[in-house]
Amino acid sequence: MGFVLGIPVSADPAERRTPIVPDVATKLRALGATLVIQDGATDRAHITPHSLGEVTWARSTDEVLAAADVVWTIGPPSPETVAALRPGTVLIGTLAPFADPDRVRALATGGVNAFAMELLPRISRAQSMDVLSSQGAVAGYQCALIAAARCPKFFPMLTYAAGTVRPARVLVIGAGVAGLQAIATAKRLGAIVEGYDVRPETKEQIESLGAKFVDTGVSAVGEGGYARELTEAEKGTQEAKLGKAIAQSDVLITTAAVPGKQAPLIVSEMMVKAMRPGAVVVDMAAEQGGNVAGTVAGSEVRVGSAHVVGPINLPSRMPVHASEMFAKNLFNFTAPMVTEGTLAIDTTDEVIAGTALTLGGAVVHPLARQVLGLEDLAPQGTQEGDA
């Protein structure tokens, strides 16, 4: 018995992470897995082939897919990869489930059982599997470093022979995993740090890191741990009070994003232009449209006198630890499916059912069907609009 787990090279040539690391490779073999990995799939994460132990190395993606029962991936597969997946293959990874209806349709009609880790239910039992949180922590850390490297001021207070240099002031908007990591990192670097989120329960978390909570009087608690959309009146109140905090900051880091949705525009061009001369803005949500007016994904631009940075794929900048975290998340998701070396999909398990995108030739995630207009691929017996 046993199953074959395949790791192809990422479809994104800029991706440096890999979903397999030595420790996880050892654990997979203990579960009964045989590993088939494409040559070069781990090189950019600085993982040498011999460190992975007993592995079958494949020369092409097609060779991996021809052998694999389970495929792990970082980032969605290319159309060519989707077409090459065998019916019944289990595909697990970050699949951008709301981005491309053609890709999801092809996965369903090709009989691929696809699990998008972005859809993982946000419950306590699934925390060890949560790639959004683990990679968000990397992204938040990177945002603080990017800001510190570009800020024309020292982050910490410094005393020198002629006097004292006051520390930089940093404001972080969004107190999810990424935002809290950005706050913690900026604080460790010595800056005066403030944090803001529309969810009032984050106040205690922000303050526990030594930062000051910016209270705008706006509360917007939503579902699944995310914030709901603000009303126009709430947006006006938020802009007026938040604008003052932004104007007093040397650095602004924004991290407000919800998977599969356009990032909320929180900071107007006027607010950016009101910042101190030489101010730095790092918009972590740039790939989803940005929280800041004027952000350009993948570029650095000037808005007034501010330096606005729109970084993309931040976790890939730190591939060693990001890969380690990602691989452990995937292992923790996959391992419960394996019994005596055989992998079985238990759709009564809320974690497995909630993460499933396509199963048995159907698009089983109701929100994905709705967003992508794929109701014709609903499971048999499911009525349009069923949850």
Side-chain angles (χ1 to χ4, degrees):
M1 299 297 288
F3 63 98
V4 178
L5 189 142
I7 309 288
V9 168
S10 173
D12 180 359
E15 181 59 71
R16 298 174 62 198
R17 294 170 294 168
T18 178
I20 190 71
V21 297
D23 179 51
V24 170
T26 300
K27 291 180 179 180
L28 284 167
R29 283 190 289 268
L31 282 181
T34 299
L35 303 183
V36 178
I37 303 176
Q38 186 176 349
D39 289 333
T42 64
D43 291 354
R44 300 194 71 191
H46 309 293
I47 296 172
T48 56
H50 74 269
S51 69
L52 291 166
E54 187 179 345
V55 168
T56 299
W57 292 95
R59 288 176 292 180
S60 67
T61 297
D62 286 348
E63 190 176 336
V64 172
L65 303 183
D69 303 305
V70 181
V71 175
W72 281 2
T73 181
I74 292 183
S78 68
E80 294 77 18
T81 297
V82 172
L85 287 164
R86 294 182 293 115
T89 299
V90 176
L91 176 67
I92 304 172
T94 45
L95 305 180
F98 303 111
D100 187 346
D102 291 337
R103 178 170 58 238
V104 176
R105 179 177 290 277
L107 288 169
T109 57
V112 177
N113 298 319
F115 294 88
M117 297 304 292
E118 299 96 323
L119 302 176
L120 188 78
R122 302 186 71 81
I123 58 176
S124 58
R125 184 163 65 88
Q127 288 179 354
S128 67
M129 313 168 191
D130 191 351
V131 299
L132 294 182
S133 290
S134 70
Q135 304 306 290
V138 180
Y141 174 80
Q142 283 289 322
C143 281
L145 298 186
I146 290 169
R150 287 158 178 76
C151 183
K153 297 182 178 182
F154 287 117
F155 264 37
M157 181 179 72
L158 292 179
T159 300
Y160 70 119
T164 300
V165 176
R166 300 184 66 183
R169 299 185 66 92
V170 176
L171 172 61
V172 178
I173 295 178
V177 172
L180 292 173
Q181 186 60 246
I183 289 171
T185 304
K187 191 67 181 176
R188 291 189 195 104
L189 292 173
I192 297 172
V193 186
E194 294 181 306
Y196 170 71
D197 198 291
V198 292
R199 298 166 298 165
E201 66 270 20
T202 61
K203 180 177 186 291
E204 184 177 341
Q205 295 172 305
I206 289 170
E207 292 177 342
S208 72
L209 296 172
K212 178 184 176 182
F213 180 73
V214 177
D215 189 355
T216 64
V218 175
S219 174
V221 179
E223 297 180 359
Y226 298 106
R228 63 168 172 80
E229 188 173 352
L230 300 180
T231 66
E232 290 304 316
E234 288 171 332
K235 288 178 182 178
T237 300
Q238 174 185 259
E239 183 172 346
K241 295 187 177 181
L242 195 55
K244 294 180 181 179
I246 292 172
Q248 295 170 358
S249 301
D250 301 301
V251 168
L252 172 64
I253 298 172
T254 64
T255 67
V258 178
K261 294 184 179 180
Q262 182 84 359
L265 183 63
I266 298 171
V267 182
S268 67
E269 182 178 351
M270 182 174 66
M271 294 163 78
V272 177
K273 289 182 176 179
M275 294 182 75
R276 294 173 173 177
V280 174
V281 178
V282 181
D283 189 344
M284 198 191 81
E287 289 178 273
Q288 292 175 254
N291 299 139
V292 181
T295 296
V296 178
S299 297
E300 302 184 20
V301 298
R302 305 293 298 190
V303 177
S305 64
H307 184 175
V308 180
V309 185
I312 58 176
N313 199 357
L314 285 162
S316 188
R317 298 183 181 214
M318 205 169 73
V320 173
H321 279 159
S323 297
E324 180 181 328
M325 297 162 82
F326 194 99
K328 288 180 178 179
N329 291 149
L330 292 194
F331 177 82
N332 289 337
F333 178 79
T334 305
M337 298 188 199
V338 182
T339 303
E340 296 182 355
T342 301
L343 187 138
I345 298 171
D346 179 7
T347 55
T348 65
D349 185 306
E350 64 178 321
V351 172
I352 292 174
T355 310
L357 177 62
T358 63
L359 287 175
V363 180
V364 295
H365 196 275
L367 182 58
R369 289 200 308 271
Q370 178 185 351
V371 171
L372 300 176
L374 298 175
E375 292 295 350
D376 60 307
L377 290 174
Q380 290 187 357
T382 300
Q383 298 297 317
E384 185 172 344
D386 281 358

